[in-house]
Amino acid sequence: MYGIFSYGIASPRVGFKHGNYVLDLEVVGLLGYFDGLALDPAVFAQSVLNDFIALGKPVHLAVHQRLTELLANDTNTFAEVHDQVFIHLSRVQMHLPVRIGDYTDFYAGIHHAENVGRMFRPNADPLLPNYRHLPVAYHGRASSIVVSGTPIRRPSGQFLNESRQPVFGPSQKLDFELELGLIIGKSNPLGNPIPITDAEDYIFGVTLFNDWSARDIQRWEYQPLGPFLGKNFASSLSAWVVPFEDLEPFRVAGPTQNPTPLPYLHSDNPAHFDLDLEVWLQPDDGEHICISQTNTRYLYWSFAQMIAHHTAGGCNLNVGDVLATGTISGDTPGSYGSLLELSWNGERPLHIAKTVTRTFLDDGDRVTFRAKGRTKRSALEFGEVEGKIYS
Ligand code: CA
């Protein structure tokens, strides 16, 4: 996994996570270990991954291959330079890995969409008529995306009080949303849609993503144009970016899509992934408790379909853009990806420990998402995304 780290007096640079260490790719490059590859080690002296990402997939694959070879036997390879190239995780500070130009948030978790529909439109079909025809999304706010570990300030905003009068104050319904964030790896020119068959070539890597949400603010403001202040106060991105090719062993067919999507969204290739996801919550002076377990298979729309749809009208994506999947919920209460669903909009407080319940987040709560893939032959663990609430 790639990330941006600093330590001691060393300025932020590109690192590759290896066990409990970060491999300093600038130093590795300066020592000549990347000789023969089409890159200047200076690309790893940058404070964001964008320049490296912009070199393109053939270079990413070559670097990844070289790192795999070097690290297969790292004690021999790096024996004489170990302390120059490896920095223990406990000594590093992680930074936002990419300069994010644009951020889009999809709504591809069908169980989440159905649950929200059941709560807020109880007498209607839980899914709106467009849901199975196109991957619904809104354009989000890139400036407030922060790296994992950044404290999250409870937002104030306008919402309806118990007498259904608009008031302004600290959100009483602060929530998380369990999502993955795709890091776009290649630009398409304005006016040139990305065909679904090419769409995965545009993904550099995948992160965990927390789309913090103030439900009371969101509910009052969102019609008719969608989320605004209920979402724009902060979103958290994991510090480590998993290269997209690392997901290959976990590729699976997605859910049956009925009706069959229109041709520009249709592909017979399996384009979903089997990754286990967990949400952990730790009250200010309490234990870390796992409160939800789910899987990325529950996404209705694939990454490729999101990209094909996003660009179908000619919209250009840029290197470093983030496309988040939308909340990933399973089909049972223990697998929901938000407190809105886990507490059913506050109606059923969630018991997380003997004397601890939650409807929405309290100050001091620390929320952590984890993700991993497991097959008989492969294992993959994402870098976590974490944030603690304060006022
Ligand atoms: Ca979301």
Side-chain angles (χ1 to χ4, degrees):
M1 294 185 287
Y2 296 98
I4 298 293
F5 74 106
S6 59
Y7 67 102
I9 57 165
S11 55
R13 74 255 328 274
V14 178
F16 189 82
K17 187 171 178 295
H18 182 61
N20 290 324
Y21 288 88
V22 183
L23 187 62
D24 185 328
L25 296 191
E26 186 200 3
V27 175
V28 170
L30 291 172
L31 291 171
Y33 290 102
F34 292 136
D35 286 0
L37 305 184
L39 66 85
D40 178 345
V43 78
F44 295 124
Q46 307 290 317
S47 61
V48 284
L49 292 170
N50 297 57
D51 286 357
F52 172 58
I53 295 174
L55 293 176
K57 199 144 275 213
V59 175
H60 307 154
L61 294 174
V63 168
H64 204 176
Q65 176 65 28
R66 182 68 61 89
L67 288 171
T68 304
E69 290 162 13
L70 293 170
L71 292 169
N73 193 0
D74 64 67
T75 43
N76 288 338
T77 309
F78 295 120
E80 308 218 325
V81 293
H82 187 277
D83 293 349
Q84 274 177 272
V85 298
F86 284 113
I87 298 96
H88 196 270
L89 277 174
S90 61
R91 292 180 55 208
V92 308
Q93 184 187 348
M94 300 305 299
H95 303 268
L96 195 66
V98 278
R99 184 174 53 250
I100 304 165
D102 278 300
Y103 151 52
T104 304
D105 193 24
F106 282 87
Y107 197 51
I110 191 167
H111 300 300
H112 173 73
E114 285 176 332
N115 285 336
V116 173
R118 283 190 194 103
M119 270 181 258
F120 295 154
R121 297 184 305 276
N123 301 315
D125 189 330
L127 293 179
L128 289 167
N130 59 6
Y131 191 85
R132 291 177 188 272
H133 293 271
L134 57 88
V136 170
Y138 67 96
H139 285 123
R141 183 76 194 166
S143 68
S144 53
I145 298 179
V146 295
V147 71
S148 175
T150 307
I152 303 299
R153 186 175 191 176
R154 179 181 298 274
S156 283
Q158 189 179 138
F159 53 88
L160 297 183
N161 66 10
E162 287 177 0
S163 321
R164 298 195 59 77
Q165 292 301 308
V167 294
F168 183 90
S171 169
Q172 305 299 301
K173 290 190 170 183
L174 185 54
D175 198 358
F176 55 79
E177 290 195 336
L178 170 62
E179 309 195 13
L180 293 181
L182 310 180
I183 306 294
I184 293 299
K186 185 170 149 182
S187 304
N188 62 305
L190 182 66
N192 288 257
I194 299 171
I196 189 157
T197 46
D198 298 345
E200 289 185 349
D201 295 342
Y202 288 76
I203 305 172
F204 169 73
V206 185
T207 62
L208 276 163
F209 190 84
N210 187 342
D211 175 27
W212 302 99
S213 300
R215 301 300 180 191
D216 39 9
I217 299 171
Q218 181 186 354
R219 181 124 194 231
W220 172 229
E221 74 179 1
Y222 85 103
Q223 289 174 316
L225 284 187
F228 191 29
L229 274 67
K231 301 276 194 177
N232 75 0
F233 58 97
S235 312
S236 298
L237 189 78
S238 57
W240 295 104
V241 181
V242 177
F244 183 62
E245 53 270 19
D246 281 5
L247 267 56
E248 203 52 50
F250 312 102
R251 186 182 289 274
V252 290
T256 303
Q257 295 186 328
N258 186 15
T260 301
L262 292 172
Y264 80 99
L265 289 173
H266 183 71
S267 164
D268 288 324
N269 297 330
H272 283 66
F273 296 90
D274 177 8
L275 301 168
D276 291 322
L277 304 170
E278 291 175 347
V279 179
W280 292 70
L281 194 151
Q282 182 180 28
D284 207 7
D285 43 15
E287 299 280 307
H288 227 165
I289 310 283
C290 180
I291 60 168
S292 180
Q293 291 178 297
T294 183
N295 191 287
T296 49
R297 308 173 73 124
Y298 291 115
L299 289 170
Y300 187 78
W301 296 101
S302 70
F303 302 160
Q305 288 173 317
M306 294 177 205
I307 290 170
H309 184 66
H310 199 308
T311 62
C315 174
N316 51 331
L317 301 180
N318 286 307
V319 167
D321 285 358
V322 172
L323 269 52
T325 56
T327 309
I328 304 171
S329 290
D331 53 5
T332 56
S335 63
Y336 294 162
S338 67
L339 279 174
L340 176 71
E341 296 161 271
L342 289 163
S343 77
W344 211 254
N345 196 23
E347 288 174 22
R348 307 170 195 164
L350 181 71
H351 289 261
I352 59 173
K354 254 186 186 163
T355 57
V356 184
T357 61
R358 282 292 180 279
T359 50
F360 293 95
L361 294 170
D362 282 2
D363 287 351
D365 283 353
R366 183 190 302 273
V367 179
T368 309
F369 298 164
R370 301 201 169 107
K372 59 176 188 280
R374 285 272 182 280
T375 67
K376 279 183 184 151
R377 269 172 287 171
S378 303
L380 171 69
E381 191 153 356
F382 278 58
E384 63 188 24
V385 64
E386 183 171 281
K388 184 174 178 175
I389 306 299
Y390 75 102
S391 281

